């Protein structure tokens, strides 16, 4: 902080000493002292009676606490720019979130229309709920009297419906389930994968499984890949793509 005082003294040196003494400041290397002569000292009549004190303005600033005006100005500009960036970032994020919400609402509406069409044309006694898991990812949960019809043999109808919905509605992922059927199906697939893997390891014969959707093939791959002597790969085209399990050479 800058302190300024006007002092009468016979010269600049004495003006500084008097100013520091009055301000209660000890002289040290961290002080920035500026002195301006406002009235020059004058010799008294014929120089016989000494010198009359002049008037000096003394400004004292602590260098440690002082910030150059330019630096202070730059800091204000930087701070202002930072605040503006944060505000703009929040606006962009809000717009993006609003857009995502709008898009998800549109996807959900379209999924509902397609599922309604399926249920009415199949004349099924069944209800459903649509859940959004995350952005552009939905689960259609069926429940009711005709669960078995929607599932089909080993989940084939369920998988076909899921495949159809994902092809009709692009840019989002749709999963279809009937009262946690997939959870039970997953355990069945893991058991099948272990059984087939052990058979190939024991006999050395290559096995080709029935066609499965990508989600189910992934489960088979994950289980069989734990066997160091076996290889798995997929052949064919969806929806009739299947897994081959064979011995490594």
């Amino acid at each position: 902080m800058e302190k300024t005082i006007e002092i009468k003294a016979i010269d600049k040196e004495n003006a500084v000493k008097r100013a520091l003494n009055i301000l209660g400041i000890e002289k040290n290397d961290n002080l920035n002292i500026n002195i301006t002569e406002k009235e020059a000292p004058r010799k008294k009549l014929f120089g016989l009676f000494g010198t009359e004190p002049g008037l000096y303005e003394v400004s004292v600033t602590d260098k440690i606490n002082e910030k150059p005006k330019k630096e202070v100005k730059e800091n204000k500009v930087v701070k202002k720019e930072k605040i503006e960036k944060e505000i703009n970032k929040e606006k962009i994020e809000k717009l993006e979130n609003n857009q995502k919400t709008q898009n998800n609402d549109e996807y959900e509406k379209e999924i509902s229309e397609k599922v309604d069409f399926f249920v009415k044309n199949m004349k099924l006694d069944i209800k459903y709920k649509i859940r959004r898991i995350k952005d552009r990812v939905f689960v259609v949960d069926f429940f009711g009297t005709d669960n078995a019809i929607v599932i089909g043999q080993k989940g084939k109808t369920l998988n076909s419906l899921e495949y159809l919905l994902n092809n009709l509605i692009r840019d989002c992922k749709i999963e279809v389930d009937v009262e946690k059927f997939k959870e039970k199906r997953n355990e069945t697939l893991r058991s099948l994968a272990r059984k087939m893997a052990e058979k190939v390891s024991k006999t050395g014969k290559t096995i080709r499984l029935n066609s499965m959707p990508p989600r189910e093939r992934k489960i088979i791959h994950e289980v069989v890949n734990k066997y160091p002597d076996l290889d798995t790969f997929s052949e064919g085209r969806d929806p009739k793509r299947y897994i081959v399990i064979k011995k490594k050479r």
Side-chain angles (χ1 to χ4, degrees):
M1 182 181 288
E2 184 178 327
K3 293 183 179 180
T4 303
I5 189 172
E6 287 188 350
I7 293 291
K8 284 188 175 183
I10 58 173
D11 55 31
K12 289 184 177 182
E13 186 178 349
N14 278 287
V16 170
K17 286 180 181 178
R18 287 198 66 204
L20 293 176
N21 186 47
I22 293 171
L23 293 172
I25 300 172
E26 292 186 8
K27 191 172 183 180
N28 59 71
D29 294 336
N30 293 324
L31 293 179
N32 189 15
I33 301 172
N34 293 313
I35 184 165
T36 303
E37 187 181 78
K38 302 189 83 173
E39 291 180 12
R42 292 178 299 168
K43 289 187 178 295
K44 292 185 179 180
L45 187 62
F46 305 116
L48 298 175
F49 301 99
T51 304
E52 200 169 294
L55 182 63
Y56 298 91
E57 184 180 84
V58 182
S59 296
V60 184
T61 309
D62 192 338
K63 293 178 183 177
I64 294 176
N65 296 321
E66 182 189 27
K67 285 188 178 181
K69 290 182 179 179
K70 184 180 179 182
E71 183 182 342
V72 171
K73 187 177 180 181
E74 286 177 352
N75 285 342
K76 286 181 179 179
V77 171
V78 170
K79 189 174 181 181
K80 183 182 177 183
E81 288 177 352
K82 188 177 180 182
I83 292 170
E84 287 176 351
K85 282 182 181 178
E86 289 295 325
I87 292 171
N88 289 333
K89 186 180 177 183
E90 287 179 6
K91 285 181 179 177
I92 291 169
E93 286 178 351
K94 189 174 181 180
L95 286 171
E96 287 177 347
N97 288 333
N98 287 340
Q99 186 62 48
K100 283 182 181 179
T101 301
Q102 186 178 349
N103 289 341
N104 284 321
D105 288 343
E106 289 174 1
Y107 287 132
E108 189 169 336
K109 183 180 178 182
E110 193 173 357
I111 293 168
S112 181
E113 288 172 356
K114 298 292 188 292
V115 174
D116 274 339
F117 180 82
F118 168 76
V119 171
K120 287 177 182 177
N121 279 273
M122 290 289 292
K123 297 180 180 179
L124 298 173
D125 182 12
I126 201 164
K127 296 179 181 179
Y128 67 90
K129 286 183 180 179
I130 300 173
R131 292 183 290 120
R132 182 168 69 87
I133 304 301
K134 53 184 180 181
D135 186 38
R136 298 188 181 187
V137 179
F138 301 86
V139 174
V140 181
D141 289 311
F142 284 99
F143 53 94
T145 306
D146 291 333
N147 281 350
I149 296 174
V150 178
I151 294 170
Q153 186 180 11
K154 296 181 180 179
K156 285 185 178 181
T157 306
L158 190 68
N159 292 333
S160 296
L161 177 58
E162 183 174 291
Y163 179 80
L164 180 63
L165 285 173
N166 280 285
N167 275 275
L168 289 172
I169 306 171
R170 301 286 184 173
D171 299 325
C172 70
K173 184 180 179 182
I174 306 166
E175 293 184 7
V176 181
D177 201 0
V178 178
E179 295 189 1
K180 296 185 178 180
F181 166 80
K182 282 187 176 179
E183 192 176 314
K184 299 170 186 176
R185 174 68 175 164
N186 291 348
E187 190 50 50
T188 300
L189 289 169
R190 292 188 190 99
S191 178
L192 173 68
R194 287 190 291 269
K195 184 178 178 181
M196 293 298 102
E198 288 166 8
K199 185 174 181 180
V200 174
S201 291
K202 186 176 179 180
T203 65
K205 292 182 180 180
T206 299
I207 290 179
R208 289 171 175 78
L209 302 179
N210 293 330
S211 59
M212 299 177 188
R215 184 189 62 80
E216 293 190 352
R217 293 199 305 271
K218 183 181 177 183
I219 294 170
I220 300 293
H221 284 304
E222 287 174 351
V223 174
V224 178
N225 286 338
K226 292 178 182 178
Y227 292 77
D229 60 327
L230 300 181
D231 264 338
T232 62
F233 55 91
S234 296
E235 288 186 345
R237 292 185 179 181
D238 285 326
K240 294 185 178 181
R241 196 163 171 79
Y242 59 90
I243 286 180
V244 178
I245 305 173
K246 63 183 292 186
K247 269 264 196 180
K248 286 183 179 178
R249 292 183 179 179

